[in-house]
Amino acid sequence: MKEIPAKSILSGYRNDTTWFGSNYTMNLYRGCCHGCIYCDSRSTVYGIDDFDTVSAKTQALEILERELKSKRRTGIVHFGSMSDSYNPFERETKLSRGALALLEKYQYGVCLPTKSTLVTRDADILQSIARHAPAVVNVTVNSVDATLCAAIEPHAPDGLARLKALQQLRKQGVDGGVLLMPVLPFISDNADNIKTLVAQAAAHGARWIYAAMGMTTRDGQREYYFQQLDKLFVGVRERHWRTFGSEYNNPSPHAKALWALFSSECERHGLLYRMEDVVQAIRQPYEQKQLSLFD
């Protein structure tokens, strides 16, 4: 792990809260070592050289506290839009834990996406935040097939382990669900995968699943993805290129049918899957006692 300087940690306030009700975003780290073959953050547009090397932002917690105190409005802070906040180095640095403690101190909420089981370590602070504001953990799970997970996300816990982490948090009163994204065309875009994942999410206590039936590709990331396809899934690269070329949006050719199956299975298992319903479920317990959080 390296260290890099930072002038700011917290984004500006945004009124558009359609992404899990979040008002702010922040990244304590730069880069990621999960090794996911499809990660959009590899795209050249972000300018992250050596993406697989994790860098921690120097004085991140001091900067964050200063920014939290200076904001005119509290709100929900979305962790790690460009990197996983629970990379292996977090065990020692505890930057994410420290940030959660600051959010609790200044009465902010949190939405935390991750592929790491380390998030369970911080259940105590998430419980404290939940007393006054939303505290949400979303685990990204693309499959519960351990062999497939090892291929497409080689250095992350497998999908079932992530669901078990979510189950543990849910039993401790932490709100949360599953991000089913991306669904990789010609690899994981099949009915068995979708049905199994929805059933397992429900069995492990998820309140919702939010899905995207496809993926995105752009310069830098596309080339890396194709290199990995050549190693792992012979013939898929050619099929992918013939179907999508250099288009940014790469929906599964079966997207319509898969969405119909997905929505039906979610309803059968009592899981929310529309973002507007998820946001309402996140906010509802707090709307009467702290309306200012969502102003």
Side-chain angles (χ1 to χ4, degrees):
M1 189 185 75
K2 302 187 298 184
E3 289 192 353
I4 56 173
K7 294 181 179 179
S8 178
I9 298 295
L10 198 62
S11 72
Y13 185 91
R14 67 182 183 194
N15 289 309
D16 178 7
T17 58
T18 54
W19 187 252
F20 292 98
S22 299
N23 306 101
Y24 297 97
T25 60
M26 72 173 183
N27 288 284
L28 302 165
Y29 297 96
R30 186 178 177 92
C32 185
C33 56
H34 286 330
C36 303
I37 67 173
Y38 51 76
C39 184
D40 176 73
S41 295
R42 294 182 185 277
S43 303
T44 54
V45 67
Y46 299 119
I48 304 176
D49 297 326
D50 196 12
F51 178 76
D52 294 289
T53 298
V54 175
S55 298
K57 296 184 178 180
T58 56
Q59 297 184 307
L61 297 183
E62 291 86 345
I63 296 170
L64 177 61
E65 182 162 25
R66 184 171 66 245
E67 292 177 330
L68 290 173
K69 288 192 293 186
S70 68
K71 296 295 184 184
R72 295 179 61 186
R73 290 178 287 189
T74 59
I76 300 175
V77 178
H78 188 272
F79 269 57
S81 58
M82 294 292 296
S83 62
D84 197 316
S85 301
Y86 284 87
N87 61 72
F89 303 100
E90 168 64 20
R91 294 183 186 277
E92 287 73 42
T93 66
K94 297 184 179 178
L95 286 181
S96 294
R97 182 172 177 82
L100 286 175
L102 290 172
L103 296 184
E104 197 281 329
K105 177 180 178 180
Y106 292 102
Q107 303 285 285
Y108 286 73
V110 61
C111 179
L112 206 164
T114 186
K115 293 176 182 172
S116 174
T117 59
L118 180 58
V119 66
T120 59
R121 179 200 64 186
D122 296 337
D124 57 335
I125 307 181
L126 291 165
Q127 289 172 321
S128 295
I129 293 173
R131 296 189 185 106
H132 61 77
V136 171
V137 173
N138 286 321
V139 294
T140 299
V141 185
N142 302 307
S143 176
V144 292
D145 182 320
T147 301
L148 179 58
C149 290
I152 65 176
E153 303 154 338
H155 306 307
D158 66 40
L160 190 58
R162 296 174 219 168
L163 289 175
K164 289 179 179 178
L166 177 64
Q167 183 178 50
Q168 181 178 333
L169 289 169
R170 294 288 294 126
K171 287 180 177 179
Q172 293 173 289
V174 178
D175 211 358
V178 171
L179 297 174
L180 172 51
M181 52 176 61
V183 173
L184 302 178
F186 318 116
I187 296 174
S188 60
D189 59 338
N190 60 79
D192 286 345
N193 186 48
I194 301 300
K195 288 183 69 173
T196 300
L197 206 154
V198 172
Q200 286 293 323
H204 286 84
R207 288 188 71 198
W208 56 76
I209 304 183
Y210 188 70
M213 297 300 169
M215 65 180 298
T216 59
T217 60
R218 52 184 161 187
D219 291 348
Q221 173 233 7
R222 184 186 301 107
E223 289 75 12
Y224 182 85
Y225 181 59
F226 283 177
Q227 289 171 9
Q228 300 307 307
L229 290 182
D230 285 342
K231 296 176 184 177
L232 300 166
F233 304 99
V234 177
V236 171
R237 171 181 179 163
E238 290 77 12
R239 192 175 179 187
H240 191 111
W241 181 256
R242 286 197 306 268
T243 305
F244 305 112
S246 59
E247 292 293 323
Y248 172 65
N249 288 311
N250 301 177
S252 166
H254 315 296
K256 186 175 181 179
L258 289 176
W259 181 261
L261 172 67
F262 168 74
S263 57
S264 174
E265 288 297 297
C266 285
E267 290 172 2
R268 186 165 73 88
H269 288 282
L271 294 170
L272 301 174
Y273 60 94
R274 297 184 182 91
M275 182 59 77
E276 59 268 28
D277 296 331
V278 174
V279 172
Q280 177 59 28
I282 291 169
R283 290 179 166 186
Q284 193 276 329
Y286 305 94
E287 286 185 332
Q288 294 303 316
K289 58 184 178 181
Q290 196 175 1
L291 289 173
S292 61
L293 182 70
F294 309 115
D295 287 344

